[in-house]
Amino acid sequence: MAKRRSAEEKALKRLLKMLPASVIILIICVGICFGALVETGVIKLSDVQNALGFTVFDKPSQSSGGNIPDSAKDFGVFVIDVGQGDSILITTPTKSVLIDAGEKESAAAVTEFIRSKGIIRLDYIIATHPHSDHIGGMADVINEFGADKIIVPKLPDNMVPTTKIYENFLNAVKNKGCKLTAAKEGTVYDLGTANGKSVKMTILAPVKGAEYDDLNDYSVCARIDMGKISWLLTGDLSKDGEKDLINSGQDIDVTAYKVGHHGSATSSSAAFLKEITPKLCVISCGEGNSYGHPADSTMKRLEQYTSSIYRTDLSSTVSVYSDGEKLYVSKGK
């Protein structure tokens, strides 16, 4: 990202040399006024970002996708309503990825949603980390669909859980004849094409060599790229894992962000958001959950970057389509 910023700075310097002094003075004056308006809250930074080329078309209660342009229907990121948990399905015309599957009680809802997309077998499954609100429903999903590759974090021995949920997950993998693949930083997976554009999934974390006391920080993090649109999905990563991800030097400046750890106060730190600059955020959390997710402090940090924030506890399943240029949001199952 540093290289890209350096290139942008050089381009800006070249442009300034070409502009008349009067134009430069006008830019400076406008910039000062703009900064004051943003600082005082008269103008929202997110409104300006949208006006400068990023557009979100929000179609409430149109879960059938009836108002989604045909050019955007090939690529979808679906944050499935699983209550207090995570489950995200990503689809292109030829590939499918499931990231987490909520609690055991959500398994039926997840499998039904996957079937509704005409999927018979999943290409990739990512179990971000072995907490029940992420892998509780995974055994049922694997038994139903299987997967060509199941990606998991490589955990130190003292972090490997001994829970029944984790045992069920491993048994389903074995019974379905699948194998586990350790997440490796920098690995790129081809998700085919959508609307004539290549779709790639890059594993960003766990960062090689990193060690944590919190299992959440071993969450598998992935970046999805399609045209000018990019997604960042970070499981339950907290500020410690976020710091390592920033320091890894990988490109984490994205368009959309599946908010880490259900909007917990210990995730989506100010330093992290400054790097990812999200223009659309989706939070997966349960209605009236006992954790208080999403935290007010997290919401305030997110609102510094965008007003396009969606929550499954308020909107149920959030479906985000894209043609590689814009995002189109549909709320409700």
Side-chain angles (χ1 to χ4, degrees):
M1 193 165 91
K3 290 182 179 179
R4 184 172 65 192
R5 284 179 176 171
S6 177
E8 290 172 350
E9 289 169 1
K10 289 179 181 179
L12 180 57
K13 289 177 181 178
R14 287 196 298 269
L15 177 60
L16 289 175
K17 288 180 181 180
M18 298 169 58
L19 294 175
S22 58
V23 174
I24 295 175
I25 292 171
L26 177 61
I27 290 172
I28 293 172
C29 292
V30 171
I32 293 171
C33 293
F34 168 72
L37 289 172
V38 171
E39 184 68 24
T40 57
V42 175
I43 294 177
K44 288 185 178 181
L45 182 59
S46 58
D47 293 337
V48 177
Q49 289 172 329
N50 290 346
L52 291 177
F54 176 83
T55 305
V56 175
F57 289 87
D58 182 12
K59 302 295 183 182
S61 302
Q62 297 294 327
S63 60
S64 66
N67 289 317
I68 306 299
D70 289 340
S71 60
K73 291 180 180 178
D74 279 356
F75 177 67
V77 176
F78 308 96
V79 182
I80 305 169
D81 182 9
V82 292
Q84 185 61 24
D86 261 18
S87 187
I88 303 100
L89 180 68
I90 301 163
T91 63
T92 72
T94 59
K95 299 289 183 180
S96 58
V97 182
L98 181 73
I99 301 178
D100 293 334
E103 294 277 7
K104 169 68 175 175
E105 295 76 20
S106 301
V110 175
T111 53
E112 180 182 351
F113 190 88
I114 295 171
R115 280 196 298 268
S116 75
K117 299 302 176 183
I119 295 170
I120 299 174
R121 182 177 177 85
L122 290 160
D123 293 285
Y124 301 102
I125 285 176
I126 297 178
T128 60
H129 63 294
H131 278 158
S132 65
D133 59 332
H134 291 255
I135 66 162
M138 195 65 82
D140 287 19
V141 170
I142 293 171
N143 286 327
E144 176 82 17
F145 300 100
D148 292 343
K149 193 177 291 290
I150 300 176
I151 302 167
V152 298
K154 185 177 182 180
L155 301 174
D157 292 342
N158 67 320
M159 285 282 185
V160 177
T162 57
T163 62
K164 185 64 176 177
I165 287 291
Y166 189 58
E167 182 183 343
N168 291 342
F169 166 65
L170 294 179
N171 285 336
V173 171
K174 181 180 179 181
N175 294 339
K176 204 66 176 180
C178 302
K179 292 183 179 180
L180 298 180
T181 298
K184 185 177 180 181
E185 175 190 350
T187 304
V188 179
Y189 295 97
D190 183 3
L191 301 186
T193 60
N195 193 34
K197 299 176 177 68
S198 175
V199 185
K200 302 289 185 183
M201 177 173 70
T202 304
I203 303 299
L204 303 180
V207 173
K208 184 178 181 181
E211 296 182 0
Y212 305 104
D213 295 327
D214 187 345
L215 184 58
N216 287 329
D217 284 314
Y218 284 98
S219 290
V220 178
C221 301
R223 175 187 173 113
I224 311 293
D225 286 281
M226 188 264 193
K228 295 180 180 179
I229 299 300
S230 51
W231 274 87
L232 181 63
L233 306 105
T234 62
D236 277 358
L237 204 67
S238 77
K239 60 183 179 181
D240 290 336
E242 291 174 351
K243 182 178 179 181
D244 284 338
L245 189 50
I246 293 170
N247 293 335
S248 72
Q250 300 176 96
D251 187 358
I252 56 173
D253 188 4
V254 295
T255 314
Y257 172 45
K258 199 293 297 177
V259 177
H261 202 183
H262 322 289
S264 165
T266 59
S267 299
S268 303
S269 64
F272 192 58
L273 293 176
K274 184 179 179 180
E275 295 295 324
I276 68 175
T277 64
K279 300 173 182 65
L280 180 145
C281 298
V282 184
I283 302 171
S284 182
C285 61
E287 183 178 2
N289 68 84
S290 60
Y291 303 98
H293 295 158
D296 289 342
S297 57
T298 301
M299 291 297 293
K300 289 177 181 177
R301 290 196 295 272
L302 295 174
E303 287 166 358
Q304 292 179 38
Y305 293 88
T306 180
S307 58
S308 299
I309 303 173
Y310 300 86
R311 298 166 44 170
T312 59
D313 62 330
L314 301 179
S315 302
S316 191
T317 295
V318 179
S319 304
V320 186
Y321 300 88
S322 180
D323 55 8
E325 298 284 337
K326 299 176 181 178
L327 295 173
Y328 302 83
V329 181
S330 170
K331 299 184 293 184
K333 291 184 177 179

